[in-house]
Amino acid sequence: MKWSKFLIQTLREDPGDAEIDSHRLMVRAGFVKKASGGLYTYLPLGMRVLNKVQRIVREEMDRAGAQEIVMPILQPSSLWKTSGRWETMGPGMFRLEDRGGHGYALSPTAEEMVTSLLGGIINSYRQLPVTVYQIQWKFRDEIRPRFGLMRSKEFLMKDAYSFDVSMDAADASYEAMFEAYKRVFERCGLKAYPVEADTGDIGGKFSHEFHVLADSGEDGIAFCEGCGYAANLEKAARKASLRNDEPCGEMEMVPTPGAKTIDEVSRFMGVSASAFIKSLIYNVDGKSVMVCVPGDRDVNEVKLRHFLGAKKVELADPAAILVASGANAGSVGPVKPADASLRIICDQDLKGAKGCIVGANKDDHHIKNVDLDRDCAIAAEDYADIVIAREGDICATCGKVLSVRRGIEVGHVFKLGVKYTSQFKAVYKNDNLEERVMVMGCYGIGVSRTLQAVIEQSHDANGIIWPASVAPFQVCICLLDPDNPEAVSVAEAIEKKLESRGVDAIVDDRSDRPGVKFKDADLIGFPVRVVVGTKGLSSGGVEIKRRRDDKSATVVVSPDKAVDAIMERLA
Ligand code: ATP
Ligand code: MG
């Protein structure tokens, strides 16, 4: 490919809206161009990478036995009404009507459509298991589209769905996809970690997100160096830290006028936040519950919901807070709330807490010297792990210390059970001709997000450093003197030989200065750069350098040895 004939536009300036390196570089190097907020055009360079990532995904899905299909993006509302998600997806789903007034969604995902599809095809256990996948554009009206392709309104997703005869059989399909995902990310040159994620109502270890670690990541992940446990902070379990509080004197009411948040009260009283107990009234499936956690920690609503076996937990409204506690938010506490039968749930770290400060259930007042066992009515079984894990917490599996890192979710594998198949009556007949509901799994890869995650993980101050497997071109041949026929023929011969070995190269035949060519090659990030120029040819040959090495690693070889030297560096 000749650079002069290829549509490339590199920019000198960083785009104004880029908050992270990968977004900045991807736009500057001319891989994508913003069409509108959260919407991008893939330029030829970006398209080449996207295609290479897709090819890897396809090969690994096929290898794992999944079969490719493609389903409509435009999906009738009736499907979404059957699952109830026409309501629960809320404003995150793009909706529209046809001329006849029929409602549609632009697919944000495709569980409904695929379940209805397979339900109509599968009759017998003999047809199972089956896994289908598609690589298709998805649409989500994200609250805050940002970070380029990381969180966009329109993005390319690979979504796969497995159907099995039983929960046990579904585990094998899950494992196969899990292994395929590891290979996909590895082949894309990415270090992606599988981490446990919340499984909703399914239970067990059957939801994993694949994360690429990056400071710019939007998710927190807890890691244990001791046993290798890795989990999304939504899920990460922690062992209780034992406390050994000194006995305290009698409770004492203190006026705390105007101080509402833990921060304000702790500043007012000159005591650190950890001495406080944060007390919140939650609405748990319509019933008020008080939730108490150490003053410097945050409630994990996912853990809370699981602990209570509830469908929905949310902070209670002001009226319910007043009825339950007797005070307004900011003065609520576990000592004698107005509703004497109010259930009080405490984080496990509060077991045996003494000498604490709590809201007094009286506006603008707190109580100090509280001994939870002595002064409050809390059932022993209502102490549980209900806060978000943080750095330094104790691993629930091995007792070592957890560390927390940031991650970008590039993929997600999830055992769904019979959630959708029962709603859509997707059944098969077993060998006694009895109807049974199929068991399902769903598996997503953010293809476009993965492209950008590679950049986020692999770049330097000068630009992108593509792994050879997904580079737009694996080799850039900088032809310094496009007017010298000898140099041109050397460059073209190298390009041809590379092509015959399955390596794609671009020949920079522009009449620009060498400095401009090198800068662009570094910015775009071709894995190997070959410099062909009159001066070099007369003094020894062509220069070869990997993008990720520094200048000192440059070698000069005669033109006929160039291809072997390049292949060595691509390996
Ligand atoms: P997130 O938590 O980042 O919003 P999600 O959990 O909603 O993602 P899934 O429904 O699991 O995402 O979708 C599968 C994959 O699609 C994700 O792992 C992610 O890589 C990708 N993805 C999701 N939303 C977006 C988006 N707005 N832009 C680009 N990729 C996305
Ligand atoms: Mg997810």
Side-chain angles (χ1 to χ4, degrees), residues 346-422:
C346 288
D347 182 67
Q348 56 188 9
D349 280 3
L350 291 176
K351 187 99 201 146
K354 296 179 183 62
C356 309
I357 305 167
V358 305
N361 297 322
K362 180 176 170 198
D363 283 349
D364 290 330
H365 285 79
H366 280 73
I367 304 175
K368 54 184 201 182
N369 292 338
V370 173
D371 175 330
L372 280 192
D373 289 328
R374 182 190 67 190
D375 304 320
C376 307
I378 303 164
E381 61 274 18
D382 278 344
Y383 285 90
D385 174 15
I386 52 165
V387 301
I388 299 172
R390 70 179 176 200
E391 184 90 24
D393 277 352
I394 303 166
C395 173
T397 312
C398 76
K400 294 241 165 58
V401 173
L402 293 175
S403 59
V404 173
R405 308 278 302 272
R406 310 297 305 168
I408 300 165
E409 181 194 322
V410 285
H412 193 172
V413 292
F414 198 103
K415 185 173 167 187
L416 282 167
V418 296
K419 181 172 154 88
Y420 295 99
T421 45
S422 53

Side-chain angles (χ1 to χ4, degrees), residues 479 481-493 532 534 537:
L479 176 55
D481 305 290
D483 298 329
N484 172 355
E486 191 205 349
V488 172
S489 83
V490 167
E492 285 178 353
V532 180
T534 314
L537 287 175

